[in-house]
C-alpha cells in the first residue's frame, strides 16, 4: 500500500509540475506577446507622429520657399515694368516715334534709347521697338556678334496674340512665356536663351492711340 501511495503521489507531483510548466510557458508567451504588442504599438505611434511632424515641417518649409520665390518674382517683374516706362523721357520718345520716318535725329534717338535699355541689365537677350504706323521695328540682340541696333519691317506683328493682349490691356502690358514651342513671338527670337517676354504699349499722350510696342526678351 505504501508503494502504491508513493507512486500516486509521484504521478500527481509530475502532473502538477507538467501543468505548472505549461502554465508558466503560457504566461511567458502571454507576457512576451503583450510586450511585443506594446513595443510595436509604440513604434507605430512614434513613426506616425514623426511622419506627421515631417510632413508638417515639409509643408511649412515649402510654403516659406514659395512665398520667398513669389516675392522675388514680384520684385523681378516690378523691375521689368519700371524699366519699360520712359518716365521723364516720354515726350522725347513720343516725338522721336512720330518723326522717325523723316528725321534722322529721331532715328538716332530711338537707337540710343534701345542701347541704354539693353546695357542696363545683364539678363536681357533682345529688345524690339515696333513702330505701329510704319510697320517697322528697331531691334538689338545678344545673338549678334556685333551688338548693334538693326531695323526691319513686319506688317504681321499686329496679328500676334501678345500684341493684341498688350494693346487691349488697361495697364498697356503683357507678359509672355516662351516655354512652349508653339508660342508666337513674331520676331526671330532665340528660344534656347529666352524664357520670357514682356511687351509694353507706348501711346500718344494727346490721342491715347498706340504708337509703338516695346518688347523685352529675358
Amino acid at each position: 500500500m505504501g508503494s502504491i501511495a508513493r507512486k500516486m503521489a509521484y504521478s500527481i507531483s509530475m502532473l502538477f509540475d507538467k501543468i505548472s510548466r505549461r502554465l508558466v510557458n503560457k504566461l511567458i508567451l502571454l507576457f512576451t506577446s503583450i510586450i511585443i504588442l506594446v513595443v510595436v504599438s509604440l513604434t507605430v505611434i512614434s513613426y506616425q507622429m514623426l511622419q506627421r511632424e515631417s510632413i508638417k515641417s515639409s509643408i511649412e518649409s515649402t510654403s516659406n520657399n514659395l512665398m520667398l520665390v513669389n516675392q522675388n518674382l514680384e520684385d523681378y517683374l516690378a523691375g521689368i515694368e519700371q524699366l519699360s516706362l520712359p518716365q521723364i523721357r516720354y515726350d522725347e520718345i513720343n516725338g522721336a516715334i512720330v518723326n522717325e520716318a523723316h528725321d534722322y535725329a529721331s532715328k538716332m534717338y530711338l537707337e540710343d534709347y534701345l542701347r541704354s535699355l539693353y546695357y542696363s541689365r545683364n539678363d536681357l537677350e533682345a529688345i524690339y521697338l515696333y513702330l505701329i504706323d510704319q510697320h517697322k521695328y528697331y531691334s538689338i540682340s545678344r545673338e549678334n556678334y556685333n551688338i548693334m541696333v538693326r531695323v526691319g519691317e513686319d506688317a504681321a506683328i499686329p496679328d500676334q496674340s501678345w500684341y493684341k493682349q498688350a494693346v487691349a490691356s488697361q495697364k498697356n502690358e503683357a507678359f509672355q512665356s516662351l516655354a512652349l514651342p508653339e508660342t508666337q513671338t513674331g520676331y526671330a527670337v532665340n528660344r534656347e536663351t529666352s524664357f520670357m517676354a514682356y511687351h509694353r504699349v507706348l501711346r500718344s499722350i494727346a490721342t491715347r492711340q498706340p504708337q509703338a510696342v516695346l518688347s523685352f526678351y529675358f
Side-chain angles (χ1 to χ4, degrees):
M1 291 293 294
S3 174
I4 295 173
R6 284 195 299 271
K7 288 182 179 180
M8 289 182 61
Y10 177 76
S11 298
I12 293 172
S13 176
M14 291 296 293
L15 180 62
F16 180 77
D17 289 342
K18 189 175 182 180
I19 294 173
S20 297
R21 284 197 298 271
R22 287 183 178 179
L23 182 59
V24 169
N25 289 336
K26 289 183 178 180
L27 289 174
I28 291 174
L29 180 61
L30 176 62
F31 286 120
T32 302
S33 301
I34 292 174
I35 292 173
I36 293 174
L37 180 61
V38 171
V39 171
V40 170
S41 300
L42 290 175
T43 302
V44 171
I45 293 172
S46 299
Y47 173 78
Q48 291 178 343
M49 292 177 63
L50 289 173
Q51 188 180 41
R52 284 197 296 268
E53 289 298 322
S54 177
I55 293 174
K56 181 180 178 182
S57 177
S58 177
I59 292 174
E60 290 178 353
S61 177
T62 302
S63 299
N64 291 334
N65 288 336
L66 287 175
M67 289 178 62
L68 182 60
V69 170
N70 186 52
Q71 184 60 51
N72 290 338
L73 180 60
E74 288 181 354
D75 293 342
Y76 182 78
L77 298 182
I80 294 174
E81 293 179 358
Q82 190 69 20
L83 176 69
S84 69
L85 294 172
Q87 299 176 10
I88 60 175
R89 303 173 65 181
Y90 203 98
D91 289 337
E92 290 83 354
I93 294 171
N94 212 295
I97 292 173
V98 172
N99 300 317
E100 180 274 341
H102 51 80
D103 183 28
Y104 181 78
S106 296
K107 295 179 180 179
M108 293 299 99
Y109 185 89
L110 293 178
E111 290 187 9
D112 290 339
Y113 178 59
L114 287 186
R115 288 192 192 93
S116 66
L117 291 176
Y118 182 80
Y119 289 111
S120 66
R121 297 176 61 124
N122 57 12
D123 57 346
L124 277 167
E125 290 295 324
I127 305 177
Y128 287 81
L129 177 64
Y130 186 75
L131 308 182
I132 297 174
D133 291 340
Q134 303 294 328
H135 297 300
K136 178 193 296 185
Y137 63 83
Y138 287 76
S139 68
I140 183 170
S141 172
R142 197 178 299 275
E143 294 180 38
N144 304 323
Y145 177 77
N146 182 22
I147 297 177
M148 58 182 295
V149 178
R150 302 173 186 272
V151 180
E153 294 185 1
D154 193 338
I157 293 296
D159 296 329
Q160 300 290 315
S161 58
W162 56 263
Y163 176 94
K164 296 176 181 178
Q165 181 183 351
V167 171
S169 169
Q170 293 183 350
K171 298 181 66 176
N172 296 310
E173 65 179 5
F175 286 95
Q176 181 186 22
S177 171
L178 304 180
L180 300 177
E182 63 270 19
T183 303
Q184 294 179 324
T185 62
Y187 301 118
V189 178
N190 187 352
R191 293 176 179 270
E192 294 182 358
T193 56
S194 299
F195 74 96
M196 183 187 75
Y198 173 77
H199 310 282
R200 163 70 65 180
V201 179
L202 303 180
R203 296 181 179 272
S204 167
I205 298 177
T207 64
R208 301 303 301 161
Q209 291 299 312
Q211 290 184 305
V213 177
L214 194 58
S215 298
F216 300 89
Y217 291 87
F218 295 89

